[in-house]
Amino acid sequence: MGTEEMEAVILAGVLRRAGADVTLASVEDGLEVEASCGSRIVADTHIASCADQVFDLVALPGGMPGSVRLRDSDILQRITVRQAEEKRLYGAICAAPAVVLMPWGLHKRKKITCHPSFIGDLPTFRAVESNVQVSGELTTSRGPGTSFQFALSFVEQMFGPHAAEDVDKILMTQIDGDFERSTEVNELEWSIDHNPHVLIPIANGSEEMEIIILVDILRRANINVVLASVEKSPNIVGSQRMKIVADKSIMSASNSKYDLIILPGGTAGVERLHRSRILKKLLKEQKQAGRMYGGVCSSLKVLQLQGLLEDKIVTAHPAVANELTCKIIDRSNIVIDGNLITGKGIGTVVDFALGTIRKFFGHGRAKSVANGIVFEYPKS
């Protein structure tokens, strides 16, 4: 409970894409945990069932009070101490290096980093401020905004540099010098007189990293985010086999109006979103009312089929770009065209979420949220 959801889900999602057999284990009594920004995630198993297993890697996400609850798990402590003693890989991110590893004595004789809020708790002569610090078997990192780098470091250590490069190309996390972070055309002010309401419809096969990054970052700006399942159950299983619990059914969610509707990608999930009559109706009403809407990665196909990309300019993942008939700006992570915002892929969703905050509240709020998650964001 209280684990930082971006860190947990990005770790599991990236490692599974690399081919690792990943177990998400709950240290709570139940498998369903509410994370630090309100997302509900269902673990694969209880920590007790992992006690006698041998792992190539034990990785601890941060978040508060999640880090404290990990620290207080005797079983997790025994697993991690044994991991270190037997010289196998272990790691921690954000608050966890200071809050979990230090009380367990697993930071000794290691260079170590953590979230800036906790860096003062680390031994001065061992603390470093790098985004990712590898020190023998221990790898540490700084926050949600460095989670992709943290996860890819483990891919490189376990599978080699070529595997890490291949996964990174799929994720599109690297900001190419020739790419724009954000491009805006047909500028329109997103002015509303209340706290923004955002709907994120989800389905089995939706890309869980995209879902969780959007929810986590938007809620940090106090945006009211509703995750709505188009399935019969509120529980969905994402493209990387992670279980997420929606806030509402799409039927229940359809009783409200939303300032912005965002569709996540994930090939199988996109197909299931497209089959939802209620979602089609909501998207049609959104367009007619002139309210905001957007999509990431393969979800642009749904927007096109609903006629929401007519006369619009977008950015798109290379895998779906040739299926779109609208104008595409290829060399930009996100494109904002009036009341439409689009994102290229998984690795550009942090920019997508911060771009959304900027449009609703201004650059200052977006920069503040970026600083909090330790994500490099333009000063102006």
Side-chain angles (χ1 to χ4, degrees), residues 322-343:
N322 61 357
E323 299 179 50
L324 303 178
T325 55
C326 57
K327 184 178 177 183
I328 296 171
I329 296 177
D330 186 48
R331 304 198 69 76
S332 185
N333 285 347
I334 67 167
V335 169
I336 303 169
D337 180 358
N339 61 345
L340 169 69
I341 179 169
T342 53

Side-chain angles (χ1 to χ4, degrees), residues 167-220:
V167 173
D168 198 19
K169 279 177 189 168
I170 295 166
L171 296 173
M172 310 181 80
T173 67
Q174 293 298 325
I175 298 167
D176 189 312
D178 297 334
F179 269 61
E180 293 290 334
R181 294 282 289 270
S182 173
T183 302
E184 186 158 5
V185 295
N186 302 315
E187 195 165 332
L188 176 74
E189 198 173 312
W190 291 13
S191 55
I192 52 174
D193 59 1
H194 54 267
N195 214 32
H197 290 256
V198 174
L199 175 68
I200 303 176
I202 59 175
N204 289 330
S206 289
E207 175 43 67
E208 49 268 83
M209 285 188 274
E210 294 174 3
I211 295 167
I212 294 299
I213 292 169
L214 286 167
V215 171
D216 188 322
I217 294 176
L218 295 179
R219 283 182 177 161
R220 284 170 180 271

Side-chain angles (χ1 to χ4, degrees), residues 191-364:
S191 55
I192 52 174
D193 59 1
H194 54 267
N195 214 32
H197 290 256
V198 174
L199 175 68
I200 303 176
I202 59 175
N204 289 330
S206 289
E207 175 43 67
E208 49 268 83
M209 285 188 274
E210 294 174 3
I211 295 167
I212 294 299
I213 292 169
L214 286 167
V215 171
D216 188 322
I217 294 176
L218 295 179
R219 283 182 177 161
R220 284 170 180 271
N222 295 320
I223 291 174
N224 182 356
V225 181
V226 173
L227 274 185
S229 169
V230 303
E231 308 292 350
K232 290 176 182 173
S233 164
N235 294 32
I236 69 109
V237 180
S239 64
Q240 300 304 313
R241 306 179 303 287
M242 278 175 267
K243 305 177 193 82
I244 295 171
V245 184
D247 304 311
K248 295 181 177 182
S249 67
I250 194 72
M251 173 69 84
S252 173
S254 68
N255 296 323
S256 302
K257 287 187 172 64
Y258 299 92
D259 302 298
L260 171 63
I261 298 176
I262 305 172
L263 305 186
T267 307
V270 164
E271 289 175 11
R272 298 184 74 83
L273 291 178
H274 179 57
R275 289 183 210 153
S276 169
R277 291 178 187 171
I278 297 171
L279 178 56
K280 286 178 184 175
K281 183 169 176 284
L282 281 170
L283 288 170
K284 183 180 178 183
E285 290 170 354
Q286 198 77 358
K287 184 187 179 187
Q288 288 173 341
R291 293 192 294 266
M292 282 67 80
Y293 56 95
V296 180
C297 201
S298 53
S299 70
L300 271 66
K301 292 194 286 188
V302 176
L303 297 178
Q304 175 165 282
L305 289 165
Q306 295 306 306
L308 271 70
L309 298 185
E310 286 176 18
D311 303 320
K312 289 290 189 180
I313 299 172
V314 304
T315 190
H317 193 281
V320 297
N322 61 357
E323 299 179 50
L324 303 178
T325 55
C326 57
K327 184 178 177 183
I328 296 171
I329 296 177
D330 186 48
R331 304 198 69 76
S332 185
N333 285 347
I334 67 167
V335 169
I336 303 169
D337 180 358
N339 61 345
L340 169 69
I341 179 169
T342 53
K344 220 169 180 56
I346 297 169
T348 67
V349 178
V350 176
D351 273 323
F352 184 105
L354 292 170
T356 300
I357 293 169
R358 179 177 64 78
K359 286 300 294 180
F360 279 129
F361 298 114
H363 187 86

Side-chain angles (χ1 to χ4, degrees), residues 121-143:
D121 298 335
L122 300 179
T124 309
F125 58 95
R126 291 288 179 186
V128 291
E129 294 190 359
S130 50
N131 284 349
V132 176
Q133 180 62 44
V134 180
S135 185
E137 297 80 29
L138 172 62
T139 302
T140 50
S141 188
R142 304 194 78 195

